[in-house]
Amino acid sequence: MRRWLPKSIPFLVVSIALYFTIHFGIEAVRILASPVYGLDLPGFAHVVHGIGRRFGLEATGLIRTAAFLGALKLSVAALFAVYLVSRIKSLLGHETDHEVVDAAVLLVASLTIIAATPALFDGEMGLLGQYRLPLWLGGLAVTLSMIERVLADEKALELAAAARQRFTVYDVTLPPKRNGVSTLRWDALRRTANVAADPVAIRPRQPIRLSRSAA
């Protein structure tokens, strides 16, 4: 399971991000490009008018509410697009920006709650089903992103532990005996200064003999 799980998580998160980028991006463009900010779209107009009835908004307030919801949808699409770009950069050695997914899903949850408020207050429970998919996909994206971060941290810890084990043994030469001070004294000084925390392997070297001609 651990073999295919790390490979499938990025694919699933990218698929969800691609869905939100395309779906919310198209809706945001249709809303913001409309002269009445999407009030000519039946489904979106029903949501905006429901919010207007609940808060007593007039025509200007309805247009501002529609523009605000369109801007939120565009922000969601932009954040997921940024995540997709960061995922592409990760193939070149850069780090993936997982925090963007958290921010984007938070906007998705806020937008879904705002859109579902009129149906919730009016008791139209049948209309709440259309808001399940964004919440489910957003929660799944955050969960998978969290798992991916945990697996990346575990891998980093394993690499660090392997690096420490690889450099446990050193090839060193202790200072020679000078003025009656032996190498054991150097070891005691190292232990006192907490320098020789790791075991040190000492490999004796062959003494160099000078011939009379060289002297």
Side-chain angles (χ1 to χ4, degrees):
M1 181 176 180
R2 291 182 62 88
R3 292 182 179 179
W4 61 264
L5 183 60
K7 297 180 180 179
S8 62
I9 287 178
F11 174 77
L12 293 175
V13 179
V14 168
S15 300
I16 296 173
L18 190 61
Y19 164 79
F20 279 112
T21 301
I22 296 175
H23 182 68
F24 275 61
I26 292 175
E27 287 188 354
V29 170
R30 293 176 62 186
I31 293 170
L32 298 178
S34 172
V36 290
Y37 291 100
L39 293 178
D40 53 342
L41 304 175
F44 184 71
H46 178 75
V47 173
V48 175
H49 284 290
I51 297 175
R53 288 194 306 270
R54 182 59 51 185
F55 295 98
L57 300 178
E58 297 180 354
T60 305
L62 292 177
I63 292 177
R64 290 178 179 177
T65 303
F68 175 72
L69 294 178
L72 282 182
K73 288 179 177 289
L74 184 62
S75 299
V76 171
L79 286 176
F80 277 109
V82 170
Y83 173 75
L84 291 176
V85 172
S86 113
R87 178 64 72 176
I88 294 174
K89 288 184 178 180
S90 66
L91 300 177
L92 303 177
H94 298 275
E95 187 176 356
T96 304
D97 192 358
H98 294 282
E99 286 74 13
V100 178
V101 176
D102 299 337
V105 172
L106 182 61
L107 282 182
V108 170
S110 302
L111 183 60
T112 304
I113 292 173
I114 294 174
T117 298
L120 184 63
F121 280 104
D122 294 338
E124 300 177 355
M125 298 303 174
L127 297 177
L128 295 177
Q130 60 181 329
Y131 304 112
R132 294 176 184 172
L133 182 60
L135 290 178
W136 286 349
L137 291 179
L140 181 60
V142 171
T143 304
L144 293 177
S145 179
M146 187 181 303
I147 294 175
E148 186 177 6
R149 277 175 275 189
V150 170
L151 293 177
D153 293 340
E154 290 181 354
K155 184 177 181 180
L157 291 176
E158 291 177 358
L159 292 177
R164 286 195 299 267
Q165 293 178 0
R166 190 164 56 249
F167 293 102
T168 301
V169 179
Y170 300 89
D171 186 7
V172 298
T173 302
L174 294 177
K177 181 178 179 181
R178 294 182 179 179
N179 298 327
V181 180
S182 65
T183 56
L184 297 178
R185 178 59 179 166
W186 286 101
D187 293 339
L189 292 175
R190 290 191 182 93
R191 286 193 295 270
T192 304
N194 198 20
V195 174
D198 296 329
V200 178
I202 304 174
R203 300 178 183 178
R205 297 183 178 180
Q206 296 294 332
I208 301 176
R209 298 183 180 181
L210 301 176
S211 61
R212 295 181 177 274
S213 58

